[in-house]
């Protein structure tokens, strides 16, 4: 007889806000439901580029065709669901306002930061540095922990309580994975990206290698440049 206690409890995906200096988590956002699908895009940073020129019509420098100038640009998109009606045991006098506000603050400066910038402007400061946000990590299990910057946050509220507090919403979230090309040398986020990339390398090394015979080729075909 199978007992419910024997069924492994699934882990949740989420977002962790980290102090880049100390490396300590400042806030942990656990997604209520794991998204059903993930849309991922990985674009190489080719050294040659796609520009015109050259005689072949394909553009770019022939000597750069196989070179990379940095890590691939990786982006993620998914839809997150928040539903207060699925958690009746948890009081929600404000509906899901707190959860929505927490996610929205990932792309907003704080009032304190805005007031500080305003004071500098009033003092006649010529150049004001852009406001820096905390280091944001997206986690999808232990094999996918990466520094990200949110690039899209679209909210669709679909149900409300009697006080017009939203109680159900879906959020379209887009993220760009931050690499060593995006962050200063020695930044904690850069080290976390390298750990993320090293995990990819380990997983790639575990994949079973194919055989040339399955492609209808032999080693001689490859060596002679015949395909």
């Amino acid at each position: 007889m199978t007992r419910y206690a024997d069924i492994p409890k699934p882990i949740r995906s989420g977002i962790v806000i980290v102090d880049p200096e100390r490396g300590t988590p400042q806030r942990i956002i656990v997604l209520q439901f794991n998204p059903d699908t993930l849309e991922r895009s990985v674009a190489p940073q080719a050294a040659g580029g796609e520009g015109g020129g050259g005689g072949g019509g394909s553009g770019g420098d022939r000597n750069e065709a196989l070179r990379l100038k940095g890590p691939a640009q990786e982006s993620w998109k998914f839809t997150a669901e928040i539903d207060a009606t699925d958690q009746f045991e948890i009081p929600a006098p404000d509906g899901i306002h707190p959860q929505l506000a927490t996610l929205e603050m990932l792309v907003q400066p704080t009032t304190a930061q805005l007031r500080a910038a305003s004071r500098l402007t009033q003092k006649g400061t010529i150049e004001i540095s852009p406001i820096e946000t905390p280091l944001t990590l997206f986690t999808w299990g232990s094999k996918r922990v990466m520094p990200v910057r949110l690039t899209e946050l679209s909210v669709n509220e679909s149900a409300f309580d009697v006080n017009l507090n939203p109680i159900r919403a879906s959020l379209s979230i887009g993220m760009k994975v931050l690499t060593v090309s995006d962050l200063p040398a020695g930044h904690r986020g850069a080290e976390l990206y390298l750990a993320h990339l090293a995990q990819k390398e380990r997983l790639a090394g575990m994949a079973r290698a194919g055989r040339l015979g399955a492609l209808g080729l032999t080693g001689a075909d490859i060596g002679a440049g015949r395909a």
Side-chain angles (χ1 to χ4, degrees):
M1 179 177 178
T2 302
R3 297 177 299 171
Y4 288 111
D6 297 332
I7 301 176
K9 186 177 181 180
I11 62 175
R12 297 293 183 191
S13 57
I15 296 171
V16 182
I17 310 302
V18 177
D19 182 333
E21 297 295 330
R22 299 179 179 86
T24 54
Q26 294 180 321
R27 184 151 201 170
I28 300 172
I29 303 170
V30 180
L31 297 183
Q32 185 178 354
F33 308 103
N34 285 332
D36 292 329
T37 61
L38 291 173
E39 181 182 340
R40 299 172 54 234
S41 173
V42 182
Q45 289 199 68
E50 296 291 338
S58 59
D61 187 339
R62 295 179 184 178
N63 294 325
E64 303 292 333
L66 299 180
R67 296 183 184 275
L68 298 173
K69 60 182 180 181
Q73 297 177 340
E74 185 175 355
S75 60
W76 290 53
K77 287 188 70 174
F78 61 89
T79 299
E81 306 285 342
I82 305 177
D83 191 345
T85 63
D86 191 65
Q87 303 181 23
F88 282 119
E89 72 281 3
I90 302 176
D94 300 310
I96 58 172
H97 270 307
Q99 294 94 320
L100 294 177
T102 299
L103 290 169
E104 290 176 37
M105 286 308 299
L106 295 177
V107 294
Q108 293 271 21
T110 64
T111 54
Q113 289 171 324
L114 291 173
R115 288 193 172 113
S118 178
R119 285 193 294 269
L120 290 174
T121 302
Q122 293 172 2
K123 290 179 180 179
T125 303
I126 297 176
E127 184 177 352
I128 300 175
S129 299
I131 296 171
E132 184 173 358
T133 60
L135 176 61
T136 303
L137 305 180
F138 178 66
T139 72
W140 186 271
S142 61
K143 296 180 179 62
R144 288 173 169 174
V145 180
M146 66 211 83
V148 298
R149 180 179 67 237
L150 264 67
T151 57
E152 176 187 340
L153 181 59
S154 177
V155 183
N156 181 15
E157 300 174 2
S158 56
F160 305 86
D161 63 16
V162 294
N163 294 315
L164 292 184
N165 294 311
I167 57 175
R168 185 183 304 123
S170 61
L171 300 90
S172 177
I173 300 176
M175 302 178 299
K176 178 188 185 306
V177 177
L178 297 178
T179 73
V180 291
S181 299
D182 303 305
L183 298 164
H187 193 281
R188 190 172 299 274
E191 295 301 318
L192 287 165
Y193 171 76
L194 290 174
H196 168 61
L197 187 59
Q199 180 70 271
K200 284 182 183 283
E201 294 171 359
R202 284 192 291 270
L203 292 172
M206 295 167 59
R208 180 178 298 178
R211 296 179 178 273
L212 284 175
L215 306 176
L217 300 174
T218 66
D221 293 325
I222 301 298
R226 299 192 301 270

